[in-house]
Amino acid sequence: MEVSRRERGTSITVVRRMTAMDAARNVQAHPGRPLAARGSVTQIFGVTRPRNRVPAPQPTARFDVMPFVIWTLVVASVIPWRVGVYFSGSIDPVVVIKAALGVGALGLAAVVGSPQRSGRALSPVGGASLGLILIFAAISTFGGAAANDLPAAAVSSIRLVILAITILLIVRRHRPASLLRSLLVAFAVFGVISAVSGLPALSSTGRLFGAFPPLQPNIIAMLCSLPAIGIVHDLVIARRAWAPRLPVLIVLVGIVALTQSRTGLVALLVAIVLIFVFTRRLDIKTLSAILIMVPLTTAVLFYSNLLTQLAQRGEAVGRGISTLDSRTVAWGAVLSTPNDTWARWVGSGLSVKQVAVVGQYWTDQVLDSSWISALAQAGVLGALVMAIWVAATILNSVRARRLRSFAFPVLVFTLIRSFLENGLIDSNLMFIVFFVFALLIERENLLSGLTTVSRSLPHVEPYRSAQVSSIAFSRNRHSFPSTRPKRQRPPKGGIE
């Protein structure tokens, strides 16, 4: 249907969203008014093509409260509440409360952001990551049954599955920017609160331990490093304002430094360098900050004993890597598992966090490596599943053009920490981060694939597929043309 405006001398082709009777009734009700005074053409017909289109303002970034609440419950359900205590199958108040928090987060994730409430369709998410996690959980549960520890292994696997489904629902029902911003804020809140509560004991311990909640230095470094990486990405890639973000960045990096987490600091530095690698061009503020920080950091590192203190961490000279020596003892015990046992191939369950050691003055040693933990919990088969998941996620992150500048550095950061820390596939902060980005990358690549397929299809006029009852009106009342109508001089009288 064509609408003519004599004062402009042009025609506006529109798609009809009302019936012919409604349009005729609108014209008859106001015969003396011009078309613009009867109501917006967009309101009557749906689509217009004005001569000078004013670009719509871009939506400003806003903070969504409900994703933050869900992430707060999720983080509270996975962080340790007690020092040196691991779940062994027994039920106590702490276990019950953490389970209630996890189930509550799952319930909120299933309700908040639903299509009925938000009016927005669910985002498609691939099932590869979730499928591999379910396979890993099944293998570890079978291993726990083979090791006569089925209750603890089953409960740990159920916790992992609940956490994975909760994250899947959050990713499907919320925008990537919203859920990532809420996740990083939740991490920062827990990390800063725990760090501030542990400051009074810093002088006696030498490292920053948390008091409320009682978190280890490596966990505090994990909680503060991810928001720091996000702020650096905002400043360098997104070019956001420096004034409100730079003080927060300094506080977060300072907390990570006070934890003296060597792996965390190295991983954070590598992630920041990768963000700069993805930068196409630097603005004057970023370039000035680099020119100031590089000489200053070099001077602090080489003209102070900071590196020595970080390497020794209050221990005697030559014993600064004693923690790595302890780790290798546990790793050797896992790697020496006989090949003719179930534990070698399917592990002993997700509840395994320690391993018995021989020839030392201690009897048990924490595994402190996600990869060695995978061998102990799910055997060779589970470690192979985890390796496939990690490799596929990191490789696919390079293909995700809109996410790779942030996803790839974060994934590399998490991968570096996984070699010396537990939790890559477990009810752990590391799993939350890696699984969130794995799902976002799958969704990005899935949508990119759908776009590529749709572009390869023959072009179909949008009004023919979307409005099957629409009719193109002209003076002779022709039906829909098979091709797009040619620009012709409109008949007198406008709409007929």
Side-chain angles (χ1 to χ4, degrees), residues 88-163:
S88 59
S90 59
I91 304 299
D92 55 52
V94 174
V95 174
V96 173
I97 294 174
K98 294 180 70 173
L101 291 175
V103 174
L106 175 62
L108 283 179
V111 175
V112 176
S114 61
Q116 292 80 7
R117 293 177 177 269
S118 63
R120 185 175 60 251
L122 295 177
S123 300
V125 177
S129 294
L130 182 61
L132 292 175
I133 296 302
L134 293 177
I135 293 174
F136 186 92
I139 294 173
S140 64
T141 304
F142 181 79
N148 297 322
D149 194 18
L150 180 59
V155 171
S156 300
S157 298
I158 291 173
R159 287 187 60 194
L160 176 64
V161 173
I162 290 176
L163 179 60

Side-chain angles (χ1 to χ4, degrees), residues 6-340:
R6 303 175 61 89
E7 59 274 13
R8 290 190 178 182
T10 59
S11 62
I12 305 174
T13 303
V14 297
V15 178
R16 183 178 179 275
R17 288 189 178 176
M18 300 177 61
T19 63
M21 187 69 68
D22 296 331
R25 187 181 298 113
N26 195 358
V27 174
Q28 294 173 1
H30 307 281
R33 296 187 189 178
L35 181 60
R38 298 170 192 157
S40 173
V41 177
T42 305
Q43 295 176 358
I44 301 176
F45 301 105
V47 178
T48 60
R49 294 184 179 179
R51 178 176 295 180
N52 297 322
R53 183 183 296 272
V54 178
Q58 296 295 327
T60 58
R62 61 186 181 91
F63 181 76
D64 293 334
V65 177
M66 290 311 300
F68 170 74
V69 173
I70 300 174
W71 284 126
T72 301
L73 296 177
V74 170
V75 175
S77 66
V78 300
I79 60 174
W81 289 21
R82 295 171 291 189
V83 179
V85 178
Y86 301 98
F87 177 73
S88 59
S90 59
I91 304 299
D92 55 52
V94 174
V95 174
V96 173
I97 294 174
K98 294 180 70 173
L101 291 175
V103 174
L106 175 62
L108 283 179
V111 175
V112 176
S114 61
Q116 292 80 7
R117 293 177 177 269
S118 63
R120 185 175 60 251
L122 295 177
S123 300
V125 177
S129 294
L130 182 61
L132 292 175
I133 296 302
L134 293 177
I135 293 174
F136 186 92
I139 294 173
S140 64
T141 304
F142 181 79
N148 297 322
D149 194 18
L150 180 59
V155 171
S156 300
S157 298
I158 291 173
R159 287 187 60 194
L160 176 64
V161 173
I162 290 176
L163 179 60
I165 295 176
T166 303
I167 296 173
L168 178 67
L169 292 175
I170 297 174
V171 172
R172 291 201 67 186
R173 296 172 182 269
H174 298 278
R175 297 182 300 273
S178 175
L179 68 93
L180 287 178
R181 189 182 301 111
S182 303
L183 176 62
L184 297 183
V185 172
F187 271 40
V189 169
F190 278 93
V192 171
I193 291 177
S194 181
V196 171
S197 65
L199 284 177
L202 179 61
S203 59
S204 60
T205 59
R207 299 183 66 186
L208 185 58
F209 288 81
F212 178 79
L215 302 180
Q216 295 293 322
N218 290 338
I219 300 178
I220 297 177
M222 178 76 179
L223 289 170
C224 295
S225 295
L226 265 298
I229 296 173
I231 293 176
V232 173
H233 183 271
D234 278 352
L235 297 178
V236 177
I237 303 295
R239 299 183 181 181
R240 301 290 178 83
W242 282 66
R245 292 173 175 82
L246 187 58
V248 180
L249 177 62
I250 294 175
V251 171
L252 294 174
V253 174
I255 291 175
V256 176
L258 290 177
T259 61
Q260 296 187 14
S261 175
R262 293 172 290 208
T263 306
L265 286 171
V266 172
L268 177 60
L269 179 62
V270 171
I272 293 176
V273 171
L274 289 176
I275 289 177
F276 280 97
V277 169
F278 282 101
T279 307
R280 295 184 178 181
R281 58 180 182 178
L282 298 175
D283 58 2
I284 187 63
K285 292 182 181 179
T286 305
L287 185 59
S288 302
I290 293 175
L291 295 178
I292 294 174
M293 293 302 298
V294 169
L296 182 61
T297 305
T298 304
V300 170
L301 292 178
F302 286 95
Y303 292 97
S304 67
N305 59 351
L306 180 61
L307 288 178
T308 303
Q309 292 179 355
L310 186 62
Q312 299 298 327
R313 289 203 303 213
E315 299 181 359
V317 177
R319 294 184 56 85
I321 57 173
S322 59
T323 56
L324 182 60
D325 295 337
S326 302
R327 288 187 175 102
T328 56
V329 172
W331 299 351
V334 174
L335 294 175
S336 61
T337 304
N339 293 332
D340 57 349

